[in-house]
Amino acid sequence: MSMVVVRLVLSRIAIAILTLGFVSVAVFVGTEILPGDVAEAILGQGATPEAVAGLRAALHLDQPAHIRYFLWLGGLLSGDPGRSLVNNLPVAELIASRLPNSLMLAAVTAVVCVPIALTLGILSAVWRGSLFDRAANFLTTSIVAVPEFLIATLAVIVFAVRLRWFPALSYAAGIISLDQFFRLFALPVFTLSCVLTAWMMRMTRAAMIDTLRSSYVEMAVLKGARPMRVVLTHALPNTIGPIANAVALSLSYLLGGAIIVEIVFNYPGLARLLVDAVSTRDMPLVQACVMIFCSAYLYLLMLADIAGILSNPRLRHR
Amino acid sequence: MSADQTITAVAAPALPRRRFRLPLAGIIGAGVVGFWVVIAIIGPYIVPHDVGALVDDDLFGRMRWALPLGSDYLGRDVLSRIIIGARYSIGVAAAATFLAVFMGGTLGMLAAVSRGAVDMALSRFFDALISIPSKMSALVVIAALGSSIPVLVGTVAVIYTPGAFRIWRALAVNVNALDFVEVARARGEGTGYLIREEILPNIAGPVLTDFGLRFVFAMLLLSGLSFLGLGVQPPNADWGSLVRENINGLADGALAVVMPAVAIASVTIGVNLVIDNLPGRWSSTGEH
């Protein structure tokens, strides 16, 4: 790798870290505009002024905002984002109990989606304008345009209510057999996969079409290479960068989509923890969960850009 | 609202008066969207039952002549609740989109015309803002301020402002580089005049398309929030809230769960069909 590439990648990482800093300020300011006093809210109306003052000091609420921001950021970075306002459990513990479930859901969905989406995307690029391409285009446009809970509810009605193949809810508690594992994950993964596949397929198709329009592909076609060979040996190697970019970008959809899916199927993941925290206004928990989601999002965007940089042959062979 | 009227009023004379034929899919889409807009406006005058009235002894009752879509989890008329829900689903999303496009559009054109430091500062700021996923921003604000219709409109408007800014700026930068803008600038026209008279009429088509797309995003986000119980609050209900409150009927495949979700899908797909079938010069893909 040349110095240029190293410098580009390093500066992309630096931008990601700076952006994450901005996001942390935005999240902190956003959650601090809460009208009213947290200490009073916790202790209720009957609290003595001394008790409120004591709790304010314990929560550092008597400090100015910028000091509190750095205290909070330091806590996050050292793995101690404080305690929940609702049940006084450490936020880190609450998150640790949910994060593996969410990662599991995301991993299973990614493993299912990536091969399907890439195959379909490449095929519809190769056969662009065909009936298959137009049908796929209509289907993906529609899936992307409807709310996730419509897909989830239709999936439940078809697979759980009518066909009785899978349970409508999923509980990932205790030791479960492989068969149970499959049955529990089937519907949440199906719902997420529909949307994720649609996004990924559209982006893959666009990336592939871009390459297929290039002059060296035209050259390969003109010299008489068979269509399959043109796609696999001439076009595909040069599309890996853009496709990796598309995969990383569409995986970032999982973060938002998981929120609805975890609620519909009562899945004990991080997103449901966040939604519960928002409805009970449990600020330390909201802040920590949102920071995890935003970091994951920025990380995926960064990977997408780095894939783009690394795959650019003009930079690689300088 | 008046801002939007000025946009169309100024835009109209600049566009070539060519008649364009919308393909069939586009006409269907426009028909569906138009239908729902009319329903949203005349809703209260045509509801067969009061939205809060318990009209059925059965919960999740079957469809029949008096209750064409059956009854919901309390025995209320689903059709009436969907008709009234249209006001919230379409109204809140449209208000938020107007606001987002107005703010993002104004700042985007300002950035393009001013160039230099103003452009730089605004672009960096909105780039940073766009790096927060939309659902996360919404959840943070709702956690802090609670959920009410003004908060929802404001939050969703701020969330989609950076996207609108980017597109308007990109389109305006292209026009800004053309000779007739330079001529106007050399004439000594002010920034306001350049934006209003030179830039706006020439980007009106693509930005209206962008408005439609942003409306779809806003509507999906809002219905998602309502579905989570964090959007429009009871006793009012938009279509997302209707799905949420009737989710227990899912096991029976009740229409009370499915129909509101289908209503959302019909609007968003309808808008998409219109946008996809508009003539090329209306396309907003100049962004890339």
Side-chain angles (χ1 to χ4, degrees):
Chain A
M1 265 201 291
S2 70
M3 282 313 291
V4 186
V5 174
V6 175
R7 207 177 320 130
L8 277 175
V9 169
L10 285 182
S11 67
R12 184 60 189 81
I13 295 175
I15 291 175
I17 294 172
L18 278 179
T19 316
L20 193 57
F22 171 84
V23 170
S24 74
V25 174
V27 167
F28 184 79
V29 172
T31 46
E32 290 289 313
I33 49 178
L34 173 74
D37 190 328
V38 179
E40 278 171 22
I42 296 175
L43 294 173
Q45 293 202 323
T48 59
E50 293 77 28
V52 172
L55 188 63
R56 283 178 62 86
L59 293 173
H60 303 294
L61 288 176
D62 46 354
Q63 312 269 3
H66 61 278
I67 304 274
R68 272 183 291 138
Y69 167 72
F70 284 108
L71 283 171
W72 170 74
L73 192 64
L76 267 189
L77 293 177
S78 62
D80 174 28
R83 282 174 175 275
S84 157
L85 297 182
V86 172
N87 51 21
N88 205 28
L89 288 171
V91 168
E93 214 169 88
L94 288 169
I95 288 177
S97 69
R98 296 296 191 89
L99 190 57
N101 291 339
S102 281
L103 290 177
M104 187 69 160
L105 185 61
V108 175
T109 310
V111 168
V112 172
C113 284
V114 173
I116 299 178
L118 294 192
T119 315
L120 291 179
I122 292 171
L123 285 181
S124 69
V126 173
W127 297 329
R128 60 185 180 281
S130 70
L131 189 64
F132 168 76
D133 180 37
R134 275 179 293 157
N137 192 28
F138 176 75
L139 205 61
T140 52
T141 315
S142 310
I143 289 178
V144 169
V146 304
E148 291 101 348
F149 55 79
L150 175 62
I151 299 171
T153 49
L154 289 181
V156 168
I157 289 177
V158 172
F159 294 113
V161 179
R162 301 258 179 239
L163 299 174
R164 300 191 179 284
W165 287 354
F166 309 109
L169 298 178
S170 60
Y171 310 95
I175 304 162
I176 49 172
S177 68
L178 196 63
D179 174 52
Q180 274 174 310
F181 174 84
F182 177 72
R183 289 165 56 89
L184 293 178
F185 272 81
L187 286 185
V189 169
F190 173 82
T191 308
L192 279 176
S193 301
C194 278
V195 191
L196 183 59
T197 308
W199 279 115
M200 212 182 279
M201 185 179 158
R202 286 164 73 95
M203 295 168 107
T204 309
R205 177 180 178 276
M208 194 69 193
I209 284 183
D210 239 21
T211 313
L212 289 177
R213 284 210 184 111
S214 62
S215 42
Y216 61 83
V217 169
E218 197 183 350
M219 179 67 208
V221 174
L222 289 177
K223 79 178 182 192
R226 275 174 295 119
M228 210 57 198
R229 192 177 153 75
V230 172
V231 172
L232 290 182
T233 60
H234 294 268
L236 198 55
N238 290 300
T239 332
I240 286 175
I243 286 181
N245 185 306
V247 169
L249 280 183
S250 25
L251 282 181
S252 69
Y253 155 77
L254 273 180
L255 303 169
I259 297 182
I260 304 285
V261 167
E262 289 188 6
I263 295 288
V264 174
F265 296 102
N266 205 19
Y267 185 87
L270 196 60
R272 213 179 60 159
L273 187 67
L274 171 60
V275 172
D276 292 344
V278 170
S279 28
T280 54
R281 295 185 158 194
D282 190 349
M283 286 308 164
L285 194 51
V286 172
Q287 290 169 332
C289 289
V290 167
M291 284 309 294
I292 292 179
F293 275 103
C294 289
S295 323
Y297 183 72
L298 288 176
Y299 179 68
L300 285 170
L301 293 192
M302 185 186 82
L303 285 189
D305 280 0
I306 291 180
I309 295 171
L310 292 182
S311 67
N312 186 340
R314 260 173 300 186
L315 292 173
R316 213 169 42 215
H317 299 300
R318 188 172 286 178
Chain B
M1 301 286 160
S2 66
D4 174 69
Q5 280 155 7
T6 34
I7 289 172
T8 37
V10 173
L15 290 168
R17 290 255 176 218
R18 222 177 308 148
R19 280 166 49 121
F20 64 85
R21 277 162 45 94
L22 208 55
L24 182 64
I27 295 174
I28 295 174
V32 171
V33 176
F35 167 77
W36 281 120
V37 171
V38 171
I39 291 286
I41 294 169
I42 63 171
Y45 307 106
I46 57 162
V47 281
H49 301 278
D50 183 68
V51 276
L54 307 179
V55 292
D56 195 358
D57 296 333
D58 277 345
L59 309 181
F60 298 117
R62 305 222 147 267
M63 49 171 121
R64 51 182 179 273
W65 185 242
L67 304 171
L69 295 179
S71 60
D72 74 351
Y73 78 118
L74 290 176
R76 296 174 293 193
D77 177 31
V78 172
L79 178 65
S80 306
R81 291 186 68 75
I82 290 180
I83 290 176
I84 296 298
R87 314 199 110 197
Y88 294 99
S89 271
I90 296 176
V92 175
T97 315
F98 271 122
L99 213 55
V101 169
F102 179 70
M103 294 190 295
T106 312
L107 291 174
M109 287 189 297
L110 183 71
V113 173
S114 325
R115 302 189 253 206
V118 178
D119 183 17
M120 186 79 166
L122 283 172
S123 297
R124 285 289 155 277
F125 176 69
F126 282 118
D127 276 353
L129 218 53
I130 220 168
S131 63
I132 307 177
S134 56
K135 278 191 181 121
M136 292 300 143
S137 323
L139 289 180
V140 167
V141 176
I142 289 170
L145 295 179
S147 189
S148 62
I149 287 177
V151 168
L152 286 175
V153 171
T155 310
V156 174
V158 171
I159 288 173
Y160 290 114
T161 299
F165 170 85
R166 274 190 159 180
I167 290 203
W168 283 69
R169 181 187 163 278
L171 291 165
V173 161
N174 288 342
V175 176
N176 195 37
L178 297 177
D179 289 340
F180 62 85
V181 184
E182 283 306 325
V183 170
R185 205 186 300 270
R187 256 196 337 254
E189 304 287 3
T191 307
Y193 178 90
L194 290 177
I195 290 177
R196 231 175 27 248
E197 303 292 328
E198 305 289 347
I199 308 275
L200 196 51
N202 290 292
I203 62 174
V207 295
L208 285 180
T209 312
D210 171 60
F211 178 86
L213 275 180
R214 227 153 280 287
F215 171 77
V216 170
F217 294 148
M219 191 156 160
L220 289 177
L221 177 63
L222 282 162
S223 63
L225 287 173
S226 289
F227 176 75
L228 298 175
L230 304 170
V232 177
Q233 296 297 310
N236 301 328
D238 71 349
W239 292 335
S241 330
L242 291 182
V243 177
R244 174 190 172 82
E245 63 185 24
N246 292 307
I247 197 79
N248 286 331
L250 191 55
D252 310 325
L255 285 173
V257 194
V258 183
M259 292 321 285
V262 169
I264 299 170
S266 69
V267 174
T268 51
I269 293 181
V271 174
N272 267 312
L273 282 178
V274 176
I275 292 172
D276 286 351
N277 289 294
L278 287 174
R281 68 199 161 88
W282 285 68
S283 151
S284 66
T285 43
E287 184 207 17
H288 298 300

